[in-house]
Amino acid sequence: MTSLLISESQPWKTLYLIWFFATLILVKLPAWFIWYLVPSHRPRRSWTIKRALIVRTIRELWTLEVDIDDEKRDPSDEVPDSELTDAKFVWVDGIPDKLFCGEVHRIADITNVRPTRIAGYWLLQKNYDWTGPRAKPGEKTILHLHGGAFYVGTANPSDTTANFTRGLLEHMHTIQRTFAVDYRLTASAPKPPANPFPAALLDALAGYRYLVHDAGFAPENIIVAGDSAGGNLALALVRHLIENPTPSLPPPGRILTASAWLDLSSSRRGPGSSAVLNAPSDIFDERPGELFAKYAVVSLLGPMGFEVAQTHRYLSPVSLACKPETGLFAGFPETYVVAGGAERLLDDSTALVERMRADGVIVIQDIPPDAVHDFLVFTWHDPERTEVLKRLSRWMDMM
Ligand SMILES: *[C@@H]1O[C@H](CO)[C@@H](O)[C@H](O)[C@H]1NC(C)=O
C-alpha cells in the first residue's frame, strides 16, 4: 500500500500480516469499540459507532508497511466482456498532435511524456441495452476520472472509486451510462520512475476526445467529473481546452469535483487549516497522509523542482503561490463542488469555490459537515452519500 516496504521476503511478510491483523481484530477493534461507546469520544458526535470504527480501521490500514495489492493489469491487455458485469471495455486512442499543444506540451517535453493509447470503461445502468459506444441524439454522459493520489486505483469497475458513478447511475434518470479512462499512474523510487505530469492529463484528454469524436457526444452534454486526484485532472482537462481553443473540441458542459486534491504543495497547512483541524476525523491520519502526498508529488514532478507543485496552475490551481489569483478560472463551465466537512482536503474545495466565484463561474457547493474524504465512494457513508448523490443526479437531470 505504501512505498515503505518492510520486507518483500515471504516468511516475514506473512508473519507481519498475521500479527497486524490479529492485533487489529483481537485487541484494537474491541478497545476502540468500548471507547467509542461514548459519543463524545468519536471524531464527530453525529457519527454512529459503526462509522467511527470503520474510519479508525481505514486509518490503521494505511499504516500497513507492505504492498498487498500490487497486481496491476498489463495496460496492453484487453479486458474481456466475461470479466465485466455492468460495463464495457474499449480502447481510447492517444490525442493527436493538434491537441497535444500549449503548456501541457511544453511540460511534456521536460518530463519526456507522450500521448498513448489507453483503456476505457463504459459503466452501464441496470438493464441497459448496449448497442455500442455511439451516442443517441441529445444523449448526456459523465467522463469520470478516478481518485487514488495519481498512483493507485483504476477505471476498472471493480475499483472502489466506481462506487461514485455507480451510485449516480442508481439515481439519474437522463444519464444511463458513464465513461471512465484508465489514465497512466505515476511512480518513483523505490519503484522505477513512471508517468510524471502530464501523462495522466493527456490520457484524460484522450478520453474526452473519444467521447466527442469517436462516440459522438456533444461537448455541452458531457460532465467531466473526478474524485480526489481525479478532481484535479478534471479541472486541468478543462483548463487545457479553454487555453487552447479547438473548434472541433470545445470545453464540456459542466464540471463535478468531489473531495478534489487541488494544492499539491499544501500551501494552507498550518494552525486552523483543514489539514490540521480535520486530521482526527478523516480517513488519513496526518503522517500517512503526508507520505502518500509526498510520494505522489515526487512522482508527478519527475525531473522538475518542488516550486512547480507550488505555483503551477495545472497542478495546484488553488495554491496560495499560484498567481495571478484572479482570472485563473475565467471561462470555466458551471461546476458542482462536493467535499466532506470532516476531511483534511476541505480547504482545497472551499478555495476552489472562492476563486471560481470571483471569476464569475456558476458554482454549487455541497459540503456535508461530518463527511470524510471521498465519501461518495463509501457505501457505508450514509445518509450523506445518498443525499448528495440525489442532489447531484437532479442537477444533471436538469441539464
Ligand atoms: C462499493 O459498492 C459495493 C456495492 O454496493 C459495496 O459492496 C462495497 O462495499 C462498496 N465499497 C466501499 C469501499 O464502500
Side-chain angles (χ1 to χ4, degrees), residues 232-268:
N232 182 308
L233 284 172
L235 293 173
L237 187 165
V238 174
R239 181 174 301 288
H240 178 82
L241 296 171
I242 289 175
E243 286 184 8
N244 306 280
T246 313
S248 60
L249 200 65
R254 288 182 179 184
I255 301 173
L256 157 59
T257 67
S259 296
W261 185 23
L262 301 173
D263 178 2
L264 306 190
S265 66
S266 311
S267 62
R268 280 177 188 76

PDB file of all heavy atoms in Angstrom, residues 232-268:
ATOM      1  N   ASN A 232      -8.659  17.029  -9.579  1.00  0.00           N
ATOM      2  CA  ASN A 232      -7.546  17.833 -10.088  1.00  0.00           C
ATOM      3  C   ASN A 232      -7.446  17.672 -11.613  1.00  0.00           C
ATOM      4  O   ASN A 232      -7.358  18.664 -12.354  1.00  0.00           O
ATOM      5  CB  ASN A 232      -6.262  17.349  -9.387  1.00  0.00           C
ATOM      6  CG  ASN A 232      -5.022  18.134  -9.779  1.00  0.00           C
ATOM      7  OD1 ASN A 232      -4.745  18.289 -10.953  1.00  0.00           O
ATOM      8  ND2 ASN A 232      -4.274  18.605  -8.791  1.00  0.00           N
ATOM      9  N   LEU A 233      -7.528  16.428 -12.072  1.00  0.00           N
ATOM     10  CA  LEU A 233      -7.442  16.161 -13.514  1.00  0.00           C
ATOM     11  C   LEU A 233      -8.610  16.775 -14.276  1.00  0.00           C
ATOM     12  O   LEU A 233      -8.445  17.259 -15.395  1.00  0.00           O
ATOM     13  CB  LEU A 233      -7.417  14.646 -13.763  1.00  0.00           C
ATOM     14  CG  LEU A 233      -6.096  13.943 -13.479  1.00  0.00           C
ATOM     15  CD1 LEU A 233      -6.275  12.427 -13.571  1.00  0.00           C
ATOM     16  CD2 LEU A 233      -5.029  14.416 -14.462  1.00  0.00           C
ATOM     17  N   ALA A 234      -9.800  16.732 -13.675  1.00  0.00           N
ATOM     18  CA  ALA A 234     -10.988  17.284 -14.343  1.00  0.00           C
ATOM     19  C   ALA A 234     -10.775  18.772 -14.631  1.00  0.00           C
ATOM     20  O   ALA A 234     -11.041  19.252 -15.743  1.00  0.00           O
ATOM     21  CB  ALA A 234     -12.227  17.067 -13.478  1.00  0.00           C
ATOM     22  N   LEU A 235     -10.284  19.504 -13.636  1.00  0.00           N
ATOM     23  CA  LEU A 235     -10.072  20.943 -13.832  1.00  0.00           C
ATOM     24  C   LEU A 235      -8.939  21.199 -14.831  1.00  0.00           C
ATOM     25  O   LEU A 235      -9.015  22.115 -15.652  1.00  0.00           O
ATOM     26  CB  LEU A 235      -9.753  21.618 -12.493  1.00  0.00           C
ATOM     27  CG  LEU A 235     -10.903  21.626 -11.476  1.00  0.00           C
ATOM     28  CD1 LEU A 235     -10.419  22.170 -10.142  1.00  0.00           C
ATOM     29  CD2 LEU A 235     -12.077  22.455 -11.978  1.00  0.00           C
ATOM     30  N   ALA A 236      -7.878  20.378 -14.761  1.00  0.00           N
ATOM     31  CA  ALA A 236      -6.744  20.556 -15.677  1.00  0.00           C
ATOM     32  C   ALA A 236      -7.173  20.290 -17.117  1.00  0.00           C
ATOM     33  O   ALA A 236      -6.758  20.990 -18.045  1.00  0.00           O
ATOM     34  CB  ALA A 236      -5.598  19.641 -15.272  1.00  0.00           C
ATOM     35  N   LEU A 237      -8.031  19.296 -17.289  1.00  0.00           N
ATOM     36  CA  LEU A 237      -8.532  18.966 -18.631  1.00  0.00           C
ATOM     37  C   LEU A 237      -9.280  20.166 -19.219  1.00  0.00           C
ATOM     38  O   LEU A 237      -9.022  20.602 -20.342  1.00  0.00           O
ATOM     39  CB  LEU A 237      -9.463  17.758 -18.516  1.00  0.00           C
ATOM     40  CG  LEU A 237     -10.027  17.071 -19.753  1.00  0.00           C
ATOM     41  CD1 LEU A 237     -10.597  15.726 -19.334  1.00  0.00           C
ATOM     42  CD2 LEU A 237     -11.088  17.842 -20.461  1.00  0.00           C
ATOM     43  N   VAL A 238     -10.183  20.736 -18.424  1.00  0.00           N
ATOM     44  CA  VAL A 238     -10.968  21.869 -18.910  1.00  0.00           C
ATOM     45  C   VAL A 238     -10.050  23.076 -19.137  1.00  0.00           C
ATOM     46  O   VAL A 238     -10.197  23.808 -20.129  1.00  0.00           O
ATOM     47  CB  VAL A 238     -12.105  22.196 -17.925  1.00  0.00           C
ATOM     48  CG1 VAL A 238     -12.839  23.458 -18.361  1.00  0.00           C
ATOM     49  CG2 VAL A 238     -13.063  21.015 -17.824  1.00  0.00           C
ATOM     50  N   ARG A 239      -9.081  23.249 -18.262  1.00  0.00           N
ATOM     51  CA  ARG A 239      -8.135  24.366 -18.426  1.00  0.00           C
ATOM     52  C   ARG A 239      -7.413  24.252 -19.779  1.00  0.00           C
ATOM     53  O   ARG A 239      -7.276  25.234 -20.511  1.00  0.00           O
ATOM     54  CB  ARG A 239      -7.129  24.347 -17.265  1.00  0.00           C
ATOM     55  CG  ARG A 239      -6.102  25.469 -17.293  1.00  0.00           C
ATOM     56  CD  ARG A 239      -5.239  25.462 -16.035  1.00  0.00           C
ATOM     57  NE  ARG A 239      -6.026  25.614 -14.811  1.00  0.00           N
ATOM     58  CZ  ARG A 239      -6.608  26.742 -14.421  1.00  0.00           C
ATOM     59  NH1 ARG A 239      -6.463  27.841 -15.137  1.00  0.00           N
ATOM     60  NH2 ARG A 239      -7.318  26.786 -13.307  1.00  0.00           N
ATOM     61  N   HIS A 240      -6.966  23.064 -20.101  1.00  0.00           N
ATOM     62  CA  HIS A 240      -6.265  22.880 -21.379  1.00  0.00           C
ATOM     63  C   HIS A 240      -7.179  23.235 -22.558  1.00  0.00           C
ATOM     64  O   HIS A 240      -6.751  23.884 -23.514  1.00  0.00           O
ATOM     65  CB  HIS A 240      -5.778  21.430 -21.507  1.00  0.00           C
ATOM     66  CG  HIS A 240      -5.084  21.141 -22.807  1.00  0.00           C
ATOM     67  ND1 HIS A 240      -3.766  21.453 -23.029  1.00  0.00           N
ATOM     68  CD2 HIS A 240      -5.534  20.597 -23.975  1.00  0.00           C
ATOM     69  CE1 HIS A 240      -3.428  21.109 -24.265  1.00  0.00           C
ATOM     70  NE2 HIS A 240      -4.485  20.575 -24.857  1.00  0.00           N
ATOM     71  N   LEU A 241      -8.433  22.813 -22.477  1.00  0.00           N
ATOM     72  CA  LEU A 241      -9.357  23.080 -23.581  1.00  0.00           C
ATOM     73  C   LEU A 241      -9.667  24.568 -23.697  1.00  0.00           C
ATOM     74  O   LEU A 241      -9.866  25.087 -24.802  1.00  0.00           O
ATOM     75  CB  LEU A 241     -10.660  22.289 -23.388  1.00  0.00           C
ATOM     76  CG  LEU A 241     -10.525  20.767 -23.429  1.00  0.00           C
ATOM     77  CD1 LEU A 241     -11.830  20.099 -22.999  1.00  0.00           C
ATOM     78  CD2 LEU A 241     -10.116  20.288 -24.830  1.00  0.00           C
ATOM     79  N   ILE A 242      -9.708  25.270 -22.550  1.00  0.00           N
ATOM     80  CA  ILE A 242     -10.000  26.702 -22.587  1.00  0.00           C
ATOM     81  C   ILE A 242      -8.782  27.491 -23.081  1.00  0.00           C
ATOM     82  O   ILE A 242      -8.906  28.429 -23.864  1.00  0.00           O
ATOM     83  CB  ILE A 242     -10.456  27.190 -21.190  1.00  0.00           C
ATOM     84  CG1 ILE A 242     -11.854  26.633 -20.885  1.00  0.00           C
ATOM     85  CG2 ILE A 242     -10.454  28.716 -21.099  1.00  0.00           C
ATOM     86  CD1 ILE A 242     -12.362  26.934 -19.490  1.00  0.00           C
ATOM     87  N   GLU A 243      -7.603  27.072 -22.647  1.00  0.00           N
ATOM     88  CA  GLU A 243      -6.389  27.800 -23.037  1.00  0.00           C
ATOM     89  C   GLU A 243      -6.000  27.570 -24.488  1.00  0.00           C
ATOM     90  O   GLU A 243      -5.278  28.373 -25.081  1.00  0.00           O
ATOM     91  CB  GLU A 243      -5.211  27.395 -22.133  1.00  0.00           C
ATOM     92  CG  GLU A 243      -5.304  27.986 -20.743  1.00  0.00           C
ATOM     93  CD  GLU A 243      -4.088  27.663 -19.878  1.00  0.00           C
ATOM     94  OE1 GLU A 243      -3.098  27.102 -20.394  1.00  0.00           O
ATOM     95  OE2 GLU A 243      -4.139  27.974 -18.680  1.00  0.00           O
ATOM     96  N   ASN A 244      -6.424  26.436 -25.022  1.00  0.00           N
ATOM     97  CA  ASN A 244      -6.053  26.097 -26.404  1.00  0.00           C
ATOM     98  C   ASN A 244      -7.311  25.813 -27.213  1.00  0.00           C
ATOM     99  O   ASN A 244      -7.614  24.657 -27.520  1.00  0.00           O
ATOM    100  CB  ASN A 244      -5.145  24.858 -26.418  1.00  0.00           C
ATOM    101  CG  ASN A 244      -3.941  25.028 -25.518  1.00  0.00           C
ATOM    102  OD1 ASN A 244      -2.967  25.666 -25.893  1.00  0.00           O
ATOM    103  ND2 ASN A 244      -4.017  24.483 -24.314  1.00  0.00           N
ATOM    104  N   PRO A 245      -8.073  26.875 -27.538  1.00  0.00           N
ATOM    105  CA  PRO A 245      -9.377  26.650 -28.181  1.00  0.00           C
ATOM    106  C   PRO A 245      -9.228  25.870 -29.486  1.00  0.00           C
ATOM    107  O   PRO A 245      -8.405  26.208 -30.324  1.00  0.00           O
ATOM    108  CB  PRO A 245      -9.883  28.071 -28.451  1.00  0.00           C
ATOM    109  CG  PRO A 245      -9.043  28.973 -27.624  1.00  0.00           C
ATOM    110  CD  PRO A 245      -7.727  28.287 -27.418  1.00  0.00           C
ATOM    111  N   THR A 246     -10.007  24.796 -29.585  1.00  0.00           N
ATOM    112  CA  THR A 246     -10.015  23.975 -30.788  1.00  0.00           C
ATOM    113  C   THR A 246     -11.473  23.883 -31.222  1.00  0.00           C
ATOM    114  O   THR A 246     -12.286  23.358 -30.472  1.00  0.00           O
ATOM    115  CB  THR A 246      -9.506  22.544 -30.472  1.00  0.00           C
ATOM    116  OG1 THR A 246      -8.325  22.652 -29.696  1.00  0.00           O
ATOM    117  CG2 THR A 246      -9.230  21.748 -31.723  1.00  0.00           C
ATOM    118  N   PRO A 247     -11.810  24.437 -32.394  1.00  0.00           N
ATOM    119  CA  PRO A 247     -13.221  24.437 -32.794  1.00  0.00           C
ATOM    120  C   PRO A 247     -13.851  23.042 -32.740  1.00  0.00           C
ATOM    121  O   PRO A 247     -15.022  22.901 -32.395  1.00  0.00           O
ATOM    122  CB  PRO A 247     -13.183  24.960 -34.233  1.00  0.00           C
ATOM    123  CG  PRO A 247     -11.895  25.715 -34.330  1.00  0.00           C
ATOM    124  CD  PRO A 247     -10.928  25.075 -33.379  1.00  0.00           C
ATOM    125  N   SER A 248     -13.067  22.008 -33.030  1.00  0.00           N
ATOM    126  CA  SER A 248     -13.661  20.676 -33.061  1.00  0.00           C
ATOM    127  C   SER A 248     -13.753  20.052 -31.659  1.00  0.00           C
ATOM    128  O   SER A 248     -14.316  18.970 -31.510  1.00  0.00           O
ATOM    129  CB  SER A 248     -12.847  19.765 -33.971  1.00  0.00           C
ATOM    130  OG  SER A 248     -11.525  19.670 -33.473  1.00  0.00           O
ATOM    131  N   LEU A 249     -13.185  20.704 -30.671  1.00  0.00           N
ATOM    132  CA  LEU A 249     -13.238  20.128 -29.323  1.00  0.00           C
ATOM    133  C   LEU A 249     -13.394  21.210 -28.248  1.00  0.00           C
ATOM    134  O   LEU A 249     -12.462  21.516 -27.505  1.00  0.00           O
ATOM    135  CB  LEU A 249     -11.978  19.286 -29.045  1.00  0.00           C
ATOM    136  CG  LEU A 249     -12.126  18.268 -27.905  1.00  0.00           C
ATOM    137  CD1 LEU A 249     -13.148  17.195 -28.242  1.00  0.00           C
ATOM    138  CD2 LEU A 249     -10.791  17.625 -27.566  1.00  0.00           C
ATOM    139  N   PRO A 250     -14.612  21.781 -28.144  1.00  0.00           N
ATOM    140  CA  PRO A 250     -14.874  22.805 -27.130  1.00  0.00           C
ATOM    141  C   PRO A 250     -14.920  22.180 -25.727  1.00  0.00           C
ATOM    142  O   PRO A 250     -15.017  20.951 -25.607  1.00  0.00           O
ATOM    143  CB  PRO A 250     -16.243  23.357 -27.512  1.00  0.00           C
ATOM    144  CG  PRO A 250     -16.602  22.741 -28.824  1.00  0.00           C
ATOM    145  CD  PRO A 250     -15.788  21.507 -28.973  1.00  0.00           C
ATOM    146  N   PRO A 251     -14.864  23.025 -24.681  1.00  0.00           N
ATOM    147  CA  PRO A 251     -14.937  22.500 -23.302  1.00  0.00           C
ATOM    148  C   PRO A 251     -16.277  21.826 -23.022  1.00  0.00           C
ATOM    149  O   PRO A 251     -17.253  22.046 -23.733  1.00  0.00           O
ATOM    150  CB  PRO A 251     -14.779  23.761 -22.434  1.00  0.00           C
ATOM    151  CG  PRO A 251     -14.224  24.800 -23.337  1.00  0.00           C
ATOM    152  CD  PRO A 251     -14.689  24.474 -24.717  1.00  0.00           C
ATOM    153  N   PRO A 252     -16.333  21.024 -21.965  1.00  0.00           N
ATOM    154  CA  PRO A 252     -17.572  20.288 -21.642  1.00  0.00           C
ATOM    155  C   PRO A 252     -18.636  21.204 -21.051  1.00  0.00           C
ATOM    156  O   PRO A 252     -18.359  22.343 -20.694  1.00  0.00           O
ATOM    157  CB  PRO A 252     -17.094  19.293 -20.577  1.00  0.00           C
ATOM    158  CG  PRO A 252     -15.941  19.972 -19.917  1.00  0.00           C
ATOM    159  CD  PRO A 252     -15.264  20.767 -20.996  1.00  0.00           C
ATOM    160  N   GLY A 253     -19.854  20.674 -20.951  1.00  0.00           N
ATOM    161  CA  GLY A 253     -20.974  21.448 -20.428  1.00  0.00           C
ATOM    162  C   GLY A 253     -20.820  21.787 -18.961  1.00  0.00           C
ATOM    163  O   GLY A 253     -21.159  22.889 -18.523  1.00  0.00           O
ATOM    164  N   ARG A 254     -20.301  20.841 -18.168  1.00  0.00           N
ATOM    165  CA  ARG A 254     -20.207  21.059 -16.731  1.00  0.00           C
ATOM    166  C   ARG A 254     -19.029  20.297 -16.134  1.00  0.00           C
ATOM    167  O   ARG A 254     -18.501  19.367 -16.750  1.00  0.00           O
ATOM    168  CB  ARG A 254     -21.489  20.595 -16.043  1.00  0.00           C
ATOM    169  CG  ARG A 254     -22.669  21.503 -16.308  1.00  0.00           C
ATOM    170  CD  ARG A 254     -23.881  21.006 -15.553  1.00  0.00           C
ATOM    171  NE  ARG A 254     -25.020  21.869 -15.776  1.00  0.00           N
ATOM    172  CZ  ARG A 254     -26.188  21.692 -15.171  1.00  0.00           C
ATOM    173  NH1 ARG A 254     -26.370  20.675 -14.346  1.00  0.00           N
ATOM    174  NH2 ARG A 254     -27.192  22.509 -15.401  1.00  0.00           N
ATOM    175  N   ILE A 255     -18.692  20.691 -14.898  1.00  0.00           N
ATOM    176  CA  ILE A 255     -17.635  20.008 -14.147  1.00  0.00           C
ATOM    177  C   ILE A 255     -18.212  19.584 -12.797  1.00  0.00           C
ATOM    178  O   ILE A 255     -19.029  20.298 -12.210  1.00  0.00           O
ATOM    179  CB  ILE A 255     -16.438  20.949 -13.888  1.00  0.00           C
ATOM    180  CG1 ILE A 255     -15.846  21.472 -15.205  1.00  0.00           C
ATOM    181  CG2 ILE A 255     -15.352  20.256 -13.066  1.00  0.00           C
ATOM    182  CD1 ILE A 255     -14.774  22.543 -15.002  1.00  0.00           C
ATOM    183  N   LEU A 256     -17.758  18.442 -12.322  1.00  0.00           N
ATOM    184  CA  LEU A 256     -18.123  17.989 -10.981  1.00  0.00           C
ATOM    185  C   LEU A 256     -16.845  17.530 -10.283  1.00  0.00           C
ATOM    186  O   LEU A 256     -16.116  16.678 -10.799  1.00  0.00           O
ATOM    187  CB  LEU A 256     -19.121  16.829 -11.102  1.00  0.00           C
ATOM    188  CG  LEU A 256     -19.261  15.852  -9.944  1.00  0.00           C
ATOM    189  CD1 LEU A 256     -19.683  16.558  -8.664  1.00  0.00           C
ATOM    190  CD2 LEU A 256     -20.288  14.773 -10.308  1.00  0.00           C
ATOM    191  N   THR A 257     -16.552  18.112  -9.132  1.00  0.00           N
ATOM    192  CA  THR A 257     -15.401  17.639  -8.360  1.00  0.00           C
ATOM    193  C   THR A 257     -15.889  17.146  -7.005  1.00  0.00           C
ATOM    194  O   THR A 257     -16.802  17.722  -6.413  1.00  0.00           O
ATOM    195  CB  THR A 257     -14.342  18.734  -8.126  1.00  0.00           C
ATOM    196  OG1 THR A 257     -14.883  19.758  -7.274  1.00  0.00           O
ATOM    197  CG2 THR A 257     -13.871  19.355  -9.427  1.00  0.00           C
ATOM    198  N   ALA A 258     -15.278  16.062  -6.527  1.00  0.00           N
ATOM    199  CA  ALA A 258     -15.627  15.512  -5.215  1.00  0.00           C
ATOM    200  C   ALA A 258     -14.339  15.309  -4.425  1.00  0.00           C
ATOM    201  O   ALA A 258     -13.454  14.575  -4.850  1.00  0.00           O
ATOM    202  CB  ALA A 258     -16.369  14.190  -5.376  1.00  0.00           C
ATOM    203  N   SER A 259     -14.229  15.996  -3.299  1.00  0.00           N
ATOM    204  CA  SER A 259     -13.034  15.886  -2.445  1.00  0.00           C
ATOM    205  C   SER A 259     -11.755  16.072  -3.258  1.00  0.00           C
ATOM    206  O   SER A 259     -10.773  15.341  -3.093  1.00  0.00           O
ATOM    207  CB  SER A 259     -12.992  14.524  -1.746  1.00  0.00           C
ATOM    208  OG  SER A 259     -14.079  14.383  -0.863  1.00  0.00           O
ATOM    209  N   ALA A 260     -11.760  17.066  -4.135  1.00  0.00           N
ATOM    210  CA  ALA A 260     -10.637  17.231  -5.060  1.00  0.00           C
ATOM    211  C   ALA A 260      -9.343  17.618  -4.333  1.00  0.00           C
ATOM    212  O   ALA A 260      -9.367  18.365  -3.354  1.00  0.00           O
ATOM    213  CB  ALA A 260     -10.982  18.296  -6.100  1.00  0.00           C
ATOM    214  N   TRP A 261      -8.242  17.115  -4.859  1.00  0.00           N
ATOM    215  CA  TRP A 261      -6.916  17.455  -4.340  1.00  0.00           C
ATOM    216  C   TRP A 261      -6.334  18.507  -5.283  1.00  0.00           C
ATOM    217  O   TRP A 261      -5.941  18.195  -6.403  1.00  0.00           O
ATOM    218  CB  TRP A 261      -6.044  16.204  -4.308  1.00  0.00           C
ATOM    219  CG  TRP A 261      -4.700  16.415  -3.693  1.00  0.00           C
ATOM    220  CD1 TRP A 261      -4.338  17.396  -2.817  1.00  0.00           C
ATOM    221  CD2 TRP A 261      -3.528  15.615  -3.891  1.00  0.00           C
ATOM    222  NE1 TRP A 261      -3.015  17.255  -2.454  1.00  0.00           N
ATOM    223  CE2 TRP A 261      -2.492  16.183  -3.103  1.00  0.00           C
ATOM    224  CE3 TRP A 261      -3.248  14.484  -4.665  1.00  0.00           C
ATOM    225  CZ2 TRP A 261      -1.205  15.645  -3.060  1.00  0.00           C
ATOM    226  CZ3 TRP A 261      -1.970  13.951  -4.622  1.00  0.00           C
ATOM    227  CH2 TRP A 261      -0.966  14.516  -3.828  1.00  0.00           C
ATOM    228  N   LEU A 262      -6.304  19.762  -4.830  1.00  0.00           N
ATOM    229  CA  LEU A 262      -6.035  20.859  -5.755  1.00  0.00           C
ATOM    230  C   LEU A 262      -4.837  21.708  -5.377  1.00  0.00           C
ATOM    231  O   LEU A 262      -4.568  22.719  -6.015  1.00  0.00           O
ATOM    232  CB  LEU A 262      -7.277  21.755  -5.849  1.00  0.00           C
ATOM    233  CG  LEU A 262      -8.544  21.041  -6.319  1.00  0.00           C
ATOM    234  CD1 LEU A 262      -9.744  21.956  -6.220  1.00  0.00           C
ATOM    235  CD2 LEU A 262      -8.362  20.522  -7.740  1.00  0.00           C
ATOM    236  N   ASP A 263      -4.149  21.320  -4.316  1.00  0.00           N
ATOM    237  CA  ASP A 263      -2.942  22.059  -3.936  1.00  0.00           C
ATOM    238  C   ASP A 263      -1.895  21.041  -3.511  1.00  0.00           C
ATOM    239  O   ASP A 263      -1.849  20.617  -2.358  1.00  0.00           O
ATOM    240  CB  ASP A 263      -3.275  23.037  -2.796  1.00  0.00           C
ATOM    241  CG  ASP A 263      -2.041  23.791  -2.326  1.00  0.00           C
ATOM    242  OD1 ASP A 263      -0.951  23.579  -2.900  1.00  0.00           O
ATOM    243  OD2 ASP A 263      -2.168  24.586  -1.379  1.00  0.00           O
ATOM    244  N   LEU A 264      -1.058  20.653  -4.458  1.00  0.00           N
ATOM    245  CA  LEU A 264      -0.076  19.600  -4.180  1.00  0.00           C
ATOM    246  C   LEU A 264       1.016  20.095  -3.242  1.00  0.00           C
ATOM    247  O   LEU A 264       1.825  19.301  -2.760  1.00  0.00           O
ATOM    248  CB  LEU A 264       0.545  19.091  -5.487  1.00  0.00           C
ATOM    249  CG  LEU A 264      -0.420  18.620  -6.579  1.00  0.00           C
ATOM    250  CD1 LEU A 264       0.331  17.930  -7.699  1.00  0.00           C
ATOM    251  CD2 LEU A 264      -1.480  17.688  -6.027  1.00  0.00           C
ATOM    252  N   SER A 265       1.043  21.395  -2.984  1.00  0.00           N
ATOM    253  CA  SER A 265       2.082  21.933  -2.095  1.00  0.00           C
ATOM    254  C   SER A 265       1.539  22.190  -0.687  1.00  0.00           C
ATOM    255  O   SER A 265       2.270  22.662   0.174  1.00  0.00           O
ATOM    256  CB  SER A 265       2.633  23.240  -2.669  1.00  0.00           C
ATOM    257  OG  SER A 265       1.624  24.237  -2.672  1.00  0.00           O
ATOM    258  N   SER A 266       0.257  21.894  -0.447  1.00  0.00           N
ATOM    259  CA  SER A 266      -0.374  22.131   0.866  1.00  0.00           C
ATOM    260  C   SER A 266      -0.052  23.517   1.405  1.00  0.00           C
ATOM    261  O   SER A 266       0.338  23.672   2.556  1.00  0.00           O
ATOM    262  CB  SER A 266       0.078  21.090   1.897  1.00  0.00           C
ATOM    263  OG  SER A 266      -0.039  19.802   1.390  1.00  0.00           O
ATOM    264  N   SER A 267      -0.241  24.533   0.576  1.00  0.00           N
ATOM    265  CA  SER A 267       0.203  25.877   0.978  1.00  0.00           C
ATOM    266  C   SER A 267      -0.594  26.459   2.143  1.00  0.00           C
ATOM    267  O   SER A 267      -0.140  27.384   2.800  1.00  0.00           O
ATOM    268  CB  SER A 267       0.135  26.826  -0.221  1.00  0.00           C
ATOM    269  OG  SER A 267      -1.198  26.947  -0.683  1.00  0.00           O
ATOM    270  N   ARG A 268      -1.796  25.928   2.416  1.00  0.00           N
ATOM    271  CA  ARG A 268      -2.587  26.475   3.522  1.00  0.00           C
ATOM    272  C   ARG A 268      -2.344  25.761   4.844  1.00  0.00           C
ATOM    273  O   ARG A 268      -2.923  26.111   5.873  1.00  0.00           O
ATOM    274  CB  ARG A 268      -4.084  26.394   3.201  1.00  0.00           C
ATOM    275  CG  ARG A 268      -4.526  27.498   2.295  1.00  0.00           C
ATOM    276  CD  ARG A 268      -5.979  27.397   1.908  1.00  0.00           C
ATOM    277  NE  ARG A 268      -6.236  28.395   0.882  1.00  0.00           N
ATOM    278  CZ  ARG A 268      -5.862  28.267  -0.373  1.00  0.00           C
ATOM    279  NH1 ARG A 268      -5.232  27.182  -0.766  1.00  0.00           N
ATOM    280  NH2 ARG A 268      -6.096  29.231  -1.248  1.00  0.00           N
TER     281      ARG A 268
END
